[in-house]
Structures are given as C-alpha cells and as structure tokens.
Amino acid sequence: MTGAENSPSGGIGDLMAGLPPLLLGTYTPKIDAKGRMALPAKFRSQLGQGLVMARGQERCVYLLPFDEFRRIAGQIQRTSVGNKAAREYLRVFLSGAVDQQPDKQGRVLVPQMLRDYANLGSDVVVIGVGTRAEIWNKDAWESYLNDKEQGYSDIADDVLPEVEF
C-alpha cells in the first residue's frame, strides 16, 4: 500500500477542489478556416465546462473560466460607478466578451471580432497565465517574448520582492 491509499483524502484531486484553475505552459494550436481552435488538452478539464473569451491586454485574447470571469467583472463593476477609467475599461472588456462551450473535440470558436482585435490567423500561441490563458498571434508573441525576456531578470526584484527561488 502507498501513502496515498492510507490518506483520508482522495489525492491531488481533493487538494485542487475549490481552488481556481492553474493554467500553465505554451501551446501552438491552429485556428481552422471556420475560426475554431482546439483547446490545449491540459486546459480542457479546467476550461472545458465553459469559458469566456474577451479582449486582453497587448492585443491578445483572454480565455477565462466562468468563475474567474465573473470575479474580474465583479471587481471592475464595483469600482466603475465613480471611476471614468474603470467605466471605460468595463465597456471595452464586456462588449468584447463571448461565452463559449467547447465542442466534443475540445474546440472553441474564436469570434471574428476577437480574431481581428488580436490579429489572429491560423498560427497562434496559447499561453497559460495562472487563472487565465491568452491567445496570441504567433509572430506577436515571439516578438513580445523576445523583448520582455531581456528584462525578465531585471524586473524580478521589483515584481516579486517577497518571493525567493
């Protein structure tokens, strides 16, 4: 018998229950002629019950689990009444948001409006960014990553002052 069998919990699944998704990694699916993209297999269990696509920062498309989308939208809405910048952000964010249900093959339709916004052709990159994923134009991602990797070490102390590796 292993230690896991003697454990009162069911293992890693129980540890992860109730926690927000942790989307990690870099994937290179294709967008087909109908605008469909297969979700990375590792994301399907976390995004597979449904997700929201929305305009992201730096001209990418956010993929958000429903609960994470509701949390973010709720936070923005609470500040938007008296804050002009928050109202404007909320308008752009929500007007470009589309809920999606993956098909049996794990594909989602990336709406034309979002493909245009992020300049997405058939070659895309999907990255996990913790509680969300992002879809990038492949060339734009490579350029962004190349540009940002130069300062990656330099900014670590400013962004992560309390984290030790």
Side-chain angles (χ1 to χ4, degrees), residues 85-124:
R87 286 192 311 269
E88 291 169 351
Y89 183 87
L90 187 65
R91 287 180 189 124
V92 173
F93 184 63
L94 292 182
S95 69
V98 178
D99 59 327
Q100 291 283 323
Q101 201 71 27
D103 67 14
K104 291 176 185 172
Q105 288 79 39
R107 297 174 303 190
V108 290
L109 175 66
V110 182
Q112 187 67 52
M113 162 190 60
L114 293 175
R115 283 183 275 152
D116 291 344
Y117 170 77
N119 193 29
L120 301 177
S122 63
D123 291 324
V124 297

Side-chain angles (χ1 to χ4, degrees), residues 3-21:
E5 292 169 358
N6 291 329
S7 169
S9 73
I12 193 77
D14 285 349
L15 292 174
M16 301 305 285
L19 294 176

Side-chain angles (χ1 to χ4, degrees), residues 25-40:
T26 301
Y27 306 89
T28 54
K30 300 277 188 190
I31 293 181
D32 70 16
K34 295 180 181 178
R36 298 172 302 188
M37 180 193 77
L39 292 171

Side-chain angles (χ1 to χ4, degrees), residues 44-157:
R44 289 179 192 170
S45 64
Q46 297 179 69
L47 295 172
Q49 301 305 309
L51 58 105
V52 175
M53 291 183 185
R55 291 181 188 104
Q57 306 302 299
E58 291 82 38
R59 294 284 176 170
C60 71
V61 174
Y62 286 169
L63 297 175
L64 300 147
F66 280 136
D67 290 344
E68 182 66 5
F69 177 80
R70 285 189 184 109
R71 185 189 69 76
I72 291 168
Q75 284 182 334
I76 299 167
Q77 285 177 315
R78 283 191 289 279
T79 63
S80 69
V81 175
N83 183 322
K84 184 179 180 194
R87 286 192 311 269
E88 291 169 351
Y89 183 87
L90 187 65
R91 287 180 189 124
V92 173
F93 184 63
L94 292 182
S95 69
V98 178
D99 59 327
Q100 291 283 323
Q101 201 71 27
D103 67 14
K104 291 176 185 172
Q105 288 79 39
R107 297 174 303 190
V108 290
L109 175 66
V110 182
Q112 187 67 52
M113 162 190 60
L114 293 175
R115 283 183 275 152
D116 291 344
Y117 170 77
N119 193 29
L120 301 177
S122 63
D123 291 324
V124 297
V125 174
V126 177
I127 61 169
V129 191
T131 58
R132 71 174 186 276
E134 297 175 352
I135 308 171
W136 284 76
N137 167 292
K138 186 178 181 199
D139 292 337
W141 171 248
E142 288 172 358
S143 176
Y144 178 86
L145 188 59
N146 185 52
D147 182 50
K148 299 306 174 192
E149 279 182 327
Q150 302 301 319
Y152 178 64
S153 296
D154 298 338
I155 64 170
D157 290 339

